Amino acid sequence: MNLHPEPLTAEAFAPFGDVLDTTGDHRLINAGLCRRHHDRATLDFGPEPGRAGISIFRAAPRALPYTFDLIERHPEGSQAFLPMTADPFLVIVAPGPQAAPRAFLTNGAQGINLHRGTWHGVLTPLAAPGLFAVVDRIGPTPNLEEYRYAQPWTVLAP
């Protein structure tokens, strides 16, 4: 069961979340020295009690081809991944556990925001140090569901 990674575009990724990048409309701020690409994601922290939190993740780098059998989702909040280095990373998403997943490859200048409840693979950087700022829901209720495929999937090199 093989997947070919697609380039990450806003249109292709729209059913799963938002692409965070510096394309499209912007306004100049800071005396014209900075472009603000405004309101790029819809953050959703679900029902109370819950709040936005920023965490730092350091994930082990992987290589393509990459084999996986685990996806997860966060039913109570969105989850944004903002790389802290300019390296591409792999994004795996699925409409549901019974559906075929899709693989996207970032271009090194993109982050993502997964919609609340989106099934996705684990954080998969393709270079060290695998450092990300993550904005997601912090709260006392469970916000993680996992699913393991009966057979693994392999994402091939482009």
Side-chain angles (χ1 to χ4, degrees), residues 104-155:
F104 293 94
L105 189 58
T106 69
N107 65 13
Q110 297 168 305
I112 61 161
N113 178 58
L114 296 166
H115 292 161
R116 178 165 43 135
T118 296
W119 287 99
H120 63 90
V122 300
L123 182 56
T124 313
L126 298 175
L131 197 58
F132 291 77
V134 178
V135 180
D136 62 358
R137 182 181 188 277
I138 306 297
T141 55
N143 190 27
L144 174 65
E145 296 175 8
E146 294 181 338
Y147 177 83
R148 287 202 180 266
Y149 290 106
Q151 292 184 292
W153 290 87
T154 299
V155 180

Side-chain angles (χ1 to χ4, degrees), residues 17-126:
D18 309 299
V19 174
L20 307 175
D21 62 13
T22 58
T23 61
D25 293 338
H26 65 275
R27 60 182 175 217
L28 293 176
I29 61 171
N30 299 343
L33 299 174
C34 181
R35 290 182 179 193
R36 179 181 174 131
H37 295 264
H38 186 69
D39 199 20
R40 301 298 296 194
T42 301
L43 302 178
D44 176 0
F45 302 114
E48 293 293 329
R51 62 176 177 82
I54 299 176
S55 303
I56 305 297
F57 287 18
R58 181 182 293 264
R62 294 7 173 275
L64 296 175
Y66 169 69
T67 300
F68 70 97
D69 68 354
L70 174 68
I71 57 173
E72 62 184 37
R73 72 176 180 168
H74 308 283
E76 295 192 14
S78 59
Q79 191 174 45
F81 292 89
L82 306 162
M84 296 175 72
T85 61
D87 299 303
F89 65 102
L90 185 64
V91 180
I92 297 166
V93 290
Q98 307 308 320
R102 291 174 69 182
F104 293 94
L105 189 58
T106 69
N107 65 13
Q110 297 168 305
I112 61 161
N113 178 58
L114 296 166
H115 292 161
R116 178 165 43 135
T118 296
W119 287 99
H120 63 90
V122 300
L123 182 56
T124 313
L126 298 175

